[in-house]
């Protein structure tokens, strides 16, 4: 299977156990108007961890110690295949510390709150659930 793109996602958990989630805009090619952890394309010559740190800072204004958790490949409906690199981290940041750098909203959500929102189709894989 050829990989067309590589993406880094960040599953960032606050002290209350909530996960930082981004409401993606309607113009996004993948998962428009859905909620997913922040992340984005890995740039040419960039390693996945560097991309994860860059995306976290660009999209939220936050920094964190990140740990590689998993990678998986996903075939998209347009025929392309994307390799997803998932990193996890904990933060002392509060909601008011988050800067919305991309998307419609960026919120720390409980798992219960997530059930009330339209989530990305690969959310279970991103969060490490089966």
């Amino acid at each position: 299977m050829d990989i067309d793109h590589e993406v880094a996602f960040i599953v960032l958990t606050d002290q209350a156990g909530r996960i930082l989630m981004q409401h993606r805009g309607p113009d996004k090619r993948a998962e428009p108007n859905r909620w997913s952890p922040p992340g984005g394309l890995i740039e040419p010559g960039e390693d996945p961890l560097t991309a994860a740190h860059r995306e976290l800072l660009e999209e939220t204004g936050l920094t964190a110690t990140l740990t590689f958790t998993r990678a998986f490949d996903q075939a998209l409906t347009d025929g392309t295949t994307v390799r997803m690199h998932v990193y996890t981290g904990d933060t002392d940041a509060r909601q008011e510390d988050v800067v919305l750098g991309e998307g419609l909203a960026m919120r720390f959500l409980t798992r219960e709150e997530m059930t009330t929102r339209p989530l990305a189709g690969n959310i279970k894989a991103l969060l490490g659930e089966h």
Side-chain angles (χ1 to χ4, degrees), residues 50-102:
T50 300
H53 282 288
R54 176 183 53 75
E55 289 289 344
L56 181 63
L57 184 60
E58 287 176 0
E59 295 183 7
T60 70
L62 301 176
T63 60
T65 300
L66 301 176
T67 302
F68 175 75
T69 306
R70 75 188 70 73
F72 63 94
D73 297 342
Q74 180 176 358
L76 303 181
T77 56
D78 65 3
T80 60
T81 300
V82 178
R83 178 159 293 151
M84 313 280 182
H85 300 265
V86 182
Y87 291 85
T88 57
D90 296 320
T91 184
D92 293 335
R94 299 165 301 172
Q95 184 62 54
E96 56 267 24
D97 299 324
V98 177
V99 175
L100 178 61
E102 186 176 305

Side-chain angles (χ1 to χ4, degrees), residues 3-62:
I3 304 300
D4 298 294
H5 305 287
E6 293 193 63
V7 178
F9 281 98
I10 305 93
V11 179
L12 191 66
T13 305
D14 72 1
Q15 289 187 327
R18 300 173 304 172
I19 297 172
L20 188 62
M21 298 287 285
Q22 177 190 54
H23 188 188
R24 298 173 58 79
D27 59 331
K28 291 297 181 184
R29 188 180 85 167
E31 304 287 359
N33 292 312
R34 297 199 174 268
W35 289 80
S36 74
L41 285 173
I42 297 172
E43 296 178 356
E46 187 176 45
D47 67 84
L49 179 58
T50 300
H53 282 288
R54 176 183 53 75
E55 289 289 344
L56 181 63
L57 184 60
E58 287 176 0
E59 295 183 7
T60 70
L62 301 176

Side-chain angles (χ1 to χ4, degrees), residues 111-129:
R111 291 189 184 265
E112 183 177 327
E113 289 170 323
M114 283 185 217
T115 65
T116 67
R117 290 169 167 77
L119 300 176
N122 61 1
I123 194 68
K124 287 185 178 184
L126 290 173
L127 297 182
E129 301 171 356

